């Protein structure tokens, strides 16, 4: 890589182009059909609880969370669609929100429907630390003893995993540890 000119060295930024693995293909419509081209990227963003987890939303409504250590395989893949169109934008909950809302990712579809995935955290020390810091609040938010027990069990398991799986891994397709995708809530004026 060429070095920047000495007069610009203090202000030089290094940028890398990193290829991401495309999300898993959706089932083909008919046997022998040509594979669909890789979907277009609509949005990219860093997870707020990790400096090394990149979220990518593809035009087909597929959301992938990649760890920078292995960009060839997503730690988490969710398919967000309201049947007619996929998600067109996402945003992460933040620590400014309370409890489970801070662990939620929100998806908007062109139809005006909103979906949520919760809990969704990356495999990172910062995410695990944050989870432990709010664990009492999460347990107390549960409406029943059984729900509090489930929350406590999930927190214990998630903290041992260092994030990921349910705290941000899994496929969203029936895995007990995967974030629950809920919606679509219709947002009206």
């Amino acid at each position: 890589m060429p070095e920047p000119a000495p007069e610009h060295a203090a202000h030089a930024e290094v940028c890398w182009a990193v290829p991401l693995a495309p999300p898993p293909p959706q089932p083909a419509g008919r046997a022998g059909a040509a594979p669909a081209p890789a979907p277009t990227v609509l949005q990219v963003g860093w997870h707020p609880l990790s400096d090394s987890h990149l979220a990518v939303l593809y035009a087909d409504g597929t959301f992938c969370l990649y760890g920078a250590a292995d960009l060839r395989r997503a730690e988490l893949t969710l398919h967000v669609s309201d049947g007619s169109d996929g998600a067109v934008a996402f945003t992460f909950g933040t620590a400014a929100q309370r409890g489970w809302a801070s662990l939620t990712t929100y998806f908007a579809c062109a139809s005006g429907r909103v979906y949520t995935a919760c809990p969704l955290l990356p495999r990172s020390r910062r995410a695990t630390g944050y989870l432990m810091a709010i664990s009492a609040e999460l347990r107390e938010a549960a409406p029943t003893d059984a729900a509090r027990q489930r929350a406590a069990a999930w927190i214990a398991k998630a903290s041992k995993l260092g994030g990921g799986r349910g705290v941000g891994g899994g496929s969203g397709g029936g895995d007990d540890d995967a974030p629950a995708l809920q919606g679509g809530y219709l947002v009206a004026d």
Side-chain angles (χ1 to χ4, degrees), residues 99-127:
W100 293 103
S102 68
L103 306 179
T104 301
T105 302
Y106 302 86
F107 299 93
C109 290
S111 64
R113 294 195 183 275
V114 174
Y115 289 81
T116 60
C118 181
L120 196 151
L121 288 177
R123 293 181 183 187
S124 74
R125 289 185 181 171
R126 187 179 345 157

Side-chain angles (χ1 to χ4, degrees), residues 1-4 13-16:
M1 173 185 272
E3 294 293 322
E13 293 184 27
V14 176
C15 297
W16 297 91

Side-chain angles (χ1 to χ4, degrees), residues 27-180:
R30 57 185 160 79
T40 303
V41 172
L42 293 180
Q43 183 180 346
V44 176
W46 293 104
H47 194 287
L49 291 174
S50 176
D51 293 331
S52 61
H53 281 81
L54 189 65
V56 180
L57 180 62
Y58 295 92
D60 67 352
T62 301
F63 172 85
C64 294
L65 185 65
Y66 296 95
D70 184 2
L71 295 173
R72 293 168 293 159
R73 192 180 77 217
E75 286 184 13
L76 166 76
T77 300
L78 295 173
H79 300 285
V80 185
S81 174
D82 67 1
S84 61
D85 63 346
V88 296
F90 71 90
T91 190
F92 293 109
T94 67
Q97 295 170 299
R98 304 284 305 184
W100 293 103
S102 68
L103 306 179
T104 301
T105 302
Y106 302 86
F107 299 93
C109 290
S111 64
R113 294 195 183 275
V114 174
Y115 289 81
T116 60
C118 181
L120 196 151
L121 288 177
R123 293 181 183 187
S124 74
R125 289 185 181 171
R126 187 179 345 157
T128 302
Y130 177 74
L131 177 63
M132 298 314 299
I134 67 166
S135 63
E137 180 182 349
L138 296 176
R139 285 189 303 272
E140 291 168 10
T144 65
D145 286 339
R148 277 187 285 284
Q149 290 174 352
R150 282 192 309 275
W154 179 84
I155 292 165
K157 185 176 181 180
S159 64
K160 288 177 187 168
L161 293 172
R165 304 208 49 90
V167 188
S171 64
D175 185 338
D176 287 340
D177 293 335

